[in-house]
Amino acid sequence: MNKHLILFYALLSSLGSFTSSFAQKFPDLDKSPHDISYHRGKDKQPLIKAIYGRPQKKERVIFGELEPYGKVWRTGANEATEIKFYKDVTIGNKLVKAGTYSLFTIPDKDKWTVILNSELDQWGAYSYNSEKDVLRTEVPVKASQTPVEAFTIVFKEDKTVSMILAWDKVVIELPITVQP
């Protein structure tokens, strides 16, 4: 056998054992994956971005049971939902400066309290501190015609922008006015 061929097989063999020694075990997919929802302006530039975990309904009763009424909720799964405003906005007649905020809610049967909080990078609502609230406003609950399996945040625009949160049989709509 030719010297070069022997050298080639030796190199190939050592390369195989080298790469297998660096094999990595990765975790399974998250049961509540994160998602991003954007509202973009007419020029397609982002104006609002929400990053949130998407828990699944899985035949459970969500509001009033899994997520109790009257308690602060992280508004999603895992890390607290974060919302970024690229420009100043007005929500419930209150000016909110451009920036990133944690989004919490307090679900109730007929209305929800929507909270923007200045403390970021929180896991759940375990360390939620109301002293860091930038905004609190109430919005009515609407019934969904069909149950929404995965918690969802979307934006729609008519005359103003609305951030819509939906899960199970519940939909809330938060009007937002983006400042010029």
Side-chain angles (χ1 to χ4, degrees):
M1 217 199 258
N2 163 329
K3 264 191 198 179
H4 292 148
L5 195 54
I6 293 172
L7 187 57
F8 173 73
Y9 283 122
L11 179 63
L12 192 59
S13 173
S14 66
L15 183 60
S17 65
F18 174 77
T19 56
S20 66
S21 68
F22 284 99
Q24 177 69 40
K25 178 159 174 36
F26 292 99
D28 291 334
L29 290 176
D30 194 334
K31 302 224 185 312
S32 298
H34 267 72
D35 204 349
I36 299 173
S37 183
Y38 279 98
H39 168 66
R40 296 180 185 277
K42 290 180 176 51
D43 60 0
K44 304 295 182 208
Q45 293 301 309
L47 297 174
I48 306 170
K49 173 174 74 173
I51 301 174
Y52 63 103
R54 298 195 71 190
Q56 310 294 307
K57 178 175 168 37
K58 297 181 186 173
E59 299 180 23
R60 301 175 289 185
V61 175
I62 302 303
F63 299 107
E65 288 190 22
L66 180 65
E67 296 303 333
Y69 291 134
K71 293 190 86 175
V72 173
W73 178 45
R74 67 182 117 198
T75 316
N78 304 329
E79 293 181 58
T81 293
E82 290 186 358
I83 186 164
K84 179 175 183 176
F85 301 110
Y86 291 81
K87 293 183 172 187
D88 294 352
V89 298
T90 302
I91 300 173
N93 295 322
K94 182 166 182 183
L95 181 69
V96 177
K97 293 291 191 184
T100 304
Y101 303 90
S102 291
L103 173 69
F104 294 98
T105 51
I106 302 174
D108 220 326
K109 191 171 183 147
D110 299 320
K111 67 180 181 338
W112 282 23
T113 302
V114 177
I115 303 165
L116 297 181
N117 187 278
S118 64
E119 192 169 339
L120 301 175
D121 300 313
Q122 297 184 58
W123 181 263
Y126 303 109
S127 61
Y128 166 75
N129 179 353
S130 63
E131 292 177 13
K132 304 271 183 156
D133 288 355
V134 172
L135 171 112
R136 276 181 174 240
T137 191
E138 291 182 351
V139 293
V141 170
K142 298 176 184 178
S144 173
Q145 298 293 351
T146 56
V148 177
E149 179 61 32
F151 173 69
T152 302
I153 297 176
V154 295
F155 294 95
K156 78 172 188 180
E157 184 172 14
D158 290 324
K159 293 179 183 172
T160 63
V161 177
S162 290
M163 180 173 66
I164 299 168
L165 288 71
W167 195 21
D168 195 4
K169 298 176 184 175
V170 172
V171 176
I172 67 160
E173 198 168 319
L174 179 69
I176 302 171
T177 303
V178 178
Q179 301 301 307

